[in-house]
Amino acid sequence: MDGASTIEEVEAVETPIVISNPVVNVVLTPEELIAKSIAPVKKEFLCPPQHTRPCPNVKDGDGVSSETNKSDGYHSKYSKNTKSKRQLKRERQEEKKTGICPKVAKTGCVSSCTYGAKCRFSHDVEVYKAQKPVDLEGNCPFLSLEGPCPYGLACRYSGTHKDENAMEIVGMGNERYETNELKKDVQKLLWKNVMTFPKADAQLKALGIFDNYKLKKGEVKGEGGEVEKVEVEGEVDMVEADQGIVNGSSTAFENDAGENGASTNKTECTEEVEADQDIVNGSSTAFENDAGENGASINKTECTEKVKLEEGNVEIALSTDDPRPIKMAKHSSEESCPGDMDNGTGSLENDLVMRTEVEASQTDDISSEADACLKLHPREKKLIDFSGKLYLAPLTTVGNLPFRRVCKNLGADITCGEMAMCTNLLQGQASEWALLRRHSSEDLFGVQICGSFPDTIARTVELIDRECTVDFIDINMGCPIDLVVNKGAGSCLLTKPVRMKGIIKAASATVDTPITMKVRTAYFEGKNRIDSLISDIGSWGATALTIHGRSRQQRYSKAADWDYIYQCARKAPDSLQVLGNGDVFSYVDWNKHLSDCPKISACMIARGSLVKPWLFTEIKEQRHWDISSSERLDIYKDYVRCGLQHWGSDTKGVETTRYFLLEWLSYLYRYIPVGLLDVVPSKLNWRSPSFYGRDDLETLMASESAADWIRISEMLLGKVPAGFHFAPKHKSNAYDKAENG
């Protein structure tokens, strides 16, 4: 960018820095400060002790943030929300009654609404104009695109519109182009639980993990195909696949203290299902033991089920004495063909369409049976070369589409959507599908999914491959969040290598899209295990593996263990690309990791991009960018423009953009300008002392107060509404020893 200055890496300057406390003044050198993980800010920029603001997260004895009790009242005015959820819901319903109809707002014509008098929105244009908030400063974000603004009168920049009465949008330009939207007909099929997954079901059957547990408690299929009842020692609850199971989700039968937290609803086991009935949507039922670490299916009475597939009949033998896990089902090559599988929807029209598409894809010179059984070898699939590319990690909440557009403009090569839960995608939740959206500028784009069981992930992968345009699909096996881990997903899978194998094999065999993985070093600190699995991960079907150099128990505390990442990379087969992740915060870190271990293809950049999104530019240009406050503000403006184009320029879109901007500012304030440091480059784990910037704007951007973040948002999006509240969502340094052992 223009006006950027380059500062070469310098040695530590022996400038004494005074750290004051109520007892004694201690003089520390830059080396001593770095040893204590304190940023060595130049003495002339340090704030006096009396100007040091308390941390907004520190609470007093009454449980109220000390920042809230400031005399100016600004922080307390916007940081405390006293409204209940019921009251907020009631207010949203009232806003709909007074809000203008989107069709009327876009066209300016009352007759354009197809619902007429039944519309729940207002059609009175004059009344809406009278109570509409004042327009914001600046131009409409859609002015540079083709066609009029899609929000018409509701746009907060409507005064700058060229043609408010245009009847429809002609077509948006490339800047507005977004893909991977959830189609309404697909959503309805997912809602009704009638979506079919022939490819996934075929591969699950071929791997021997297809759902055969469709019978009620104590029922098995006899040799003649009839349903027989058997006595089983202990109580075993079997939930039939066509009742009480959400689309594509697995039902786990575990003890109450089971690791994945799944529970069984006994009231759902009420209907009798014949043994030869097809599986609806292939929802799997897992029988697990609390102590089962390898993910094998064992019920809580330690019963085992021996599955044999002989001439189309299924035989289930229950034994209470043998604690061994289920054996893999034997199958012939003909049984694994998708064309021979019944996808479980009977005479549904969607089933006919799916079968027609499968048959049409087969070539004339090869029989349909043989063609359906042909599978691409992992080396024959489309591969993505990650070598030397700048990979923006999938980041929950902040890693949204506008943020990825900003990072793409600053030099990112590969982008990935936020982590999406498989069960929510299979249920057709629009909010979860929004995480799969892709912008036209993202030329190399992947999505990240998270699930607990092979069947759930395999069907999600097939659905994404069918409905979305992505270059790769990443499976998260490293998320440390309790809500995810307690359901058996994320980092919990690190304790279940057998289930990991089933997930990767089922997903990679279902689609031709490259399947990648993201893991942590281990679940518990000091018990690393990825090095023992990495030689097998490539043979399971994964094309790339990203290793975060921390365990689940560490969360984000302590430095990333790059030596262990190097060890894993050296053991990896040549067919598996290995990427490292953790604490990359400068081009020096990037160069060091790639030079120390040439086996590493690239480094994934995560939190470093949140604090310093121009890190991609620094790595590509091999320099330390002493970016000015005005250049940083331009990046914020670019984000706001992309946010308004994505979430909308009406009142709701403006406030949504403001919320995500504030979430990002809760990371951005941690940046310490290069020109203020005695030692360059800075490290991600350095704690910053209170300091002045080189101008007022830089000082404001370095504030740790949420009130100052709100002031920055008001510079870009106007005044916040009455009763506005904001509290950062993430605590990136969370580490609960009592909870995590």
Side-chain angles (χ1 to χ4, degrees):
M1 289 187 180
D2 294 336
S5 60
T6 303
I7 296 182
E8 302 296 336
E9 186 174 2
V10 296
E11 298 180 354
V13 180
E14 298 293 338
T15 303
I17 293 180
V18 179
I19 303 298
S20 301
N21 59 61
V23 180
V24 65
N25 291 334
V26 181
V27 179
L28 298 178
T29 63
E31 292 86 352
E32 293 172 334
L33 291 171
I34 293 174
K36 295 178 177 294
S37 295
I38 300 175
V41 177
K42 294 179 180 179
K43 182 179 179 180
E44 58 267 26
F45 295 106
L46 288 174
C47 290
Q50 61 269 21
H51 287 85
T52 302
R53 281 184 289 234
C55 177
N57 292 328
V58 178
K59 298 180 179 180
D60 55 22
D62 299 329
V64 180
S65 172
S66 57
E67 182 74 7
T68 306
N69 297 324
K70 291 181 65 176
S71 58
D72 58 9
Y74 193 94
H75 189 277
S76 61
K77 182 179 180 181
Y78 296 118
S79 64
K80 192 174 181 180
N81 186 9
T82 58
K83 296 181 180 179
S84 64
K85 292 183 178 180
R86 181 177 298 178
Q87 185 176 359
L88 293 173
K89 182 178 180 181
R90 189 182 302 114
E91 289 179 357
R92 287 195 298 267
Q93 293 174 346
E94 292 296 329
E95 289 177 1
K96 286 184 178 180
K97 295 179 182 178
T98 58
I100 191 70
C101 174
K103 281 283 187 180
V104 176
K106 184 167 62 175
T107 62
C109 180
V110 177
S111 60
S112 61
C113 180
T114 56
Y115 295 98
K118 296 181 180 180
C119 182
R120 66 176 182 268
F121 295 99
S122 172
H123 289 177
D124 195 331
V125 176
E126 298 301 326
V127 172
Y128 175 76
K129 287 183 177 180
Q131 57 90 31
K132 178 187 173 183
V134 179
D135 283 355
L136 301 176
E137 296 181 1
N139 295 325
C140 176
F142 299 98
L143 280 182
S144 60
L145 308 179
E146 298 178 7
C149 174
Y151 295 91
L153 296 174
C155 178
R156 295 294 302 276
Y157 304 88
S158 58
T160 61
H161 289 175
K162 297 178 181 179
D163 185 7
E164 296 183 1
N165 298 320
M167 295 300 295
E168 61 183 20
I169 302 175
V170 178
M172 309 311 293
N174 292 333
E175 195 175 5
R176 173 64 176 171
Y177 182 58
E178 295 181 7
T179 58
N180 298 346
E181 296 183 3
L182 177 61
K183 301 180 181 64
K184 199 63 181 177
D185 55 343
V186 174
Q187 187 179 39
K188 289 180 179 179
L189 291 175
L190 295 173
W191 282 349
K192 295 178 181 179
N193 200 15
V194 294
M195 178 67 75
T196 58
F197 306 95
K199 293 181 181 179
D201 291 347
Q203 298 303 329
L204 291 170
K205 180 179 178 181
L207 294 173
I209 53 180
F210 191 70
D211 182 13
N212 291 307
Y213 308 104
K214 303 175 293 182
L215 309 178
K216 288 180 63 178
K217 177 174 62 178
E219 292 183 353
V220 297
K221 179 182 281 189
E223 295 181 358
E226 69 279 1
V227 176
E228 300 177 354
K229 293 190 176 183
V230 296
E231 295 294 331
V232 182
E233 182 180 351
E235 181 177 290
V236 181
D237 297 323
M238 297 185 181
V239 181
E240 53 270 18
D242 63 340
Q243 178 179 350
I245 297 180
V246 181
N247 196 349
S249 62
S250 299
T251 306
F253 296 83
E254 299 186 350
N255 291 336
D256 294 336
E259 192 168 31
N260 67 359
S263 61
T264 306
N265 190 347
K266 298 182 180 180
T267 61
E268 294 179 357
C269 305
T270 56
E271 296 184 0
E272 182 173 347
V273 182
E274 296 183 359
D276 57 349
Q277 182 179 2
D278 294 325
I279 296 177
V280 177
N281 275 336
S283 302
S284 73
T285 307
F287 298 85
E288 296 190 355
N289 188 1
D290 294 340
E293 188 176 0
N294 59 0
S297 300
I298 305 174
N299 63 17
K300 60 185 176 181
T301 59
E302 296 186 357
C303 299
T304 62
E305 295 76 15
K306 186 176 181 180
V307 182
K308 294 182 179 179
L309 301 177
E310 298 176 357
E311 299 178 357
N313 294 330
V314 179
E315 178 183 358
I316 304 178
L318 301 179
S319 172
T320 59
D321 299 327
D322 190 357
R324 293 176 299 173
I326 298 177
K327 293 182 179 180
M328 300 298 288
K330 297 180 180 180
H331 59 86
S332 61
S333 60
E334 290 78 15
E335 290 174 339
S336 64
C337 301
D340 298 334
M341 291 276 307
D342 188 353
N343 53 24
T345 56
S347 60
L348 291 172
E349 295 181 1
N350 189 52
D351 180 27
L352 297 177
V353 173
M354 295 301 175
R355 290 177 181 271
T356 303
E357 293 178 354
V358 173
E359 293 174 0
S361 63
Q362 299 173 347
T363 57
D364 297 333
D365 56 338
I366 304 177
S367 63
S368 60
E369 293 83 1
D371 183 67
C373 294
L374 290 177
K375 300 176 184 178
L376 287 175
H377 189 274
R379 293 183 180 179
E380 298 176 1
K381 290 185 177 183
K382 174 188 175 183
L383 297 179
I384 297 178
D385 185 12
F386 291 93
S387 299
K389 291 185 171 63
L390 302 181
Y391 187 174
L392 173 63
L395 301 164
T396 304
T397 304
V398 188
N400 43 61
L401 186 144
F403 174 78
R404 298 198 304 270
R405 287 183 62 183
V406 170
C407 291
K408 191 69 181 177
N409 293 336
L410 290 171
D413 297 320
I414 304 174
T415 55
C416 187
E418 302 173 66
M419 183 184 72
M421 300 303 295
C422 291
T423 304
N424 296 340
L425 294 175
L426 292 170
Q427 290 175 359
Q429 293 185 12
S431 58
E432 205 75 12
W433 276 83
L435 305 179
L436 308 181
R437 296 282 286 274
R438 175 183 189 173
H439 192 263
S440 57
S441 62
E442 299 179 275
D443 50 355
L444 194 51
F445 173 77
V447 296
Q448 187 181 75
I449 59 175
C450 184
S452 307
F453 298 95
D455 63 324
T456 308
I457 292 181
R459 288 168 188 125
T460 304
V461 165
E462 180 179 352
L463 183 62
I464 292 174
D465 186 67
R466 185 192 307 163
E467 302 297 333
C468 301
T469 303
V470 298
D471 297 302
F472 63 92
I473 300 175
D474 188 71
I475 300 177
N476 187 307
M477 296 187 182
C479 180
I481 300 175
D482 296 336
L483 182 64
V484 175
V485 172
N486 291 339
K487 293 182 179 180
S491 296
C492 183
L493 292 172
L494 297 176
T495 65
K496 304 177 184 295
V498 174
R499 190 182 295 179
M500 288 176 63
K501 177 181 178 181
I503 288 173
I504 298 301
K505 284 191 129 183
S508 61
T510 300
V511 297
D512 295 336
T513 304
I515 300 296
T516 64
M517 295 172 56
K518 187 173 188 292
V519 299
R520 285 183 173 237
T521 57
Y523 188 89
F524 294 106
E525 185 177 0
K527 296 183 179 180
N528 297 336
R529 66 182 315 169
I530 298 302
D531 58 319
S532 62
L533 299 174
I534 197 166
S535 59
D536 297 325
I537 290 176
S539 62
W540 295 346
T543 60
L545 173 69
T546 302
I547 304 175
H548 184 180
R550 295 182 178 89
S551 65
R552 186 261 171 176
Q553 192 177 16
Q554 285 179 259
R555 297 293 180 92
Y556 295 95
S557 65
K558 301 182 181 179
D561 188 356
W562 277 91
D563 290 335
Y564 181 72
I565 296 176
Y566 301 156
Q567 176 185 346
C568 294
R570 295 185 183 102
K571 291 184 177 181
D574 294 336
S575 60
L576 181 66
Q577 301 181 75
V578 178
L579 293 82
N581 175 222
D583 300 341
V584 177
F585 201 51
S586 68
Y587 79 87
V588 176
D589 297 331
W590 172 276
N591 295 344
K592 180 180 184 301
H593 297 322
L594 294 186
S595 61
D596 288 351
C597 184
K599 287 279 290 182
I600 292 182
S601 299
C603 299
M604 179 182 282
I605 301 174
R607 287 186 299 157
S609 64
L610 296 178
V611 179
K612 191 168 64 171
W614 50 92
L615 174 59
F616 302 101
T617 303
E618 290 188 351
I619 295 175
K620 284 195 170 181
E621 299 181 0
Q622 293 289 292
R623 65 187 176 103
H624 299 299
W625 184 0
D626 187 16
I627 187 171
S628 65
S629 59
S630 60
E631 289 172 325
R632 292 168 64 186
L633 186 63
D634 289 338
I635 293 176
Y636 302 170
K637 290 179 179 178
D638 189 29
Y639 176 84
V640 167
R641 179 182 58 84
C642 296
L644 293 175
Q645 291 177 359
H646 179 63
W647 291 300
S649 58
D650 58 345
T651 300
K652 181 179 180 181
V654 168
E655 294 310 314
T656 303
T657 304
R658 187 195 305 275
Y659 166 77
F660 285 105
L661 173 63
L662 290 171
E663 285 287 353
W664 190 19
L665 288 171
S666 68
Y667 290 92
L668 287 168
Y669 86 92
R670 305 177 190 178
Y671 172 70
I672 306 173
V674 173
L676 275 61
L677 291 171
D678 271 333
V679 178
V680 178
S682 60
K683 298 296 182 181
L684 191 57
N685 64 335
W686 282 1
R687 298 190 304 274
S688 171
S690 183
F691 63 88
Y692 292 116
R694 289 165 290 188
D695 53 53
D696 292 340
L697 181 57
E698 193 169 70
T699 303
L700 180 65
M701 290 178 173
S703 173
E704 61 185 10
S705 170
D708 290 329
W709 306 339
I710 293 174
R711 287 190 180 97
I712 295 175
S713 75
E714 290 179 332
M715 294 169 58
L716 305 171
L717 293 166
K719 290 291 184 181
V720 296
F724 180 81
H725 162 261
F726 173 74
K729 180 179 178 181
H730 292 285
K731 297 179 181 179
S732 61
N733 201 33
Y735 181 56
D736 192 340
K737 294 183 179 179
E739 180 181 354
N740 299 315

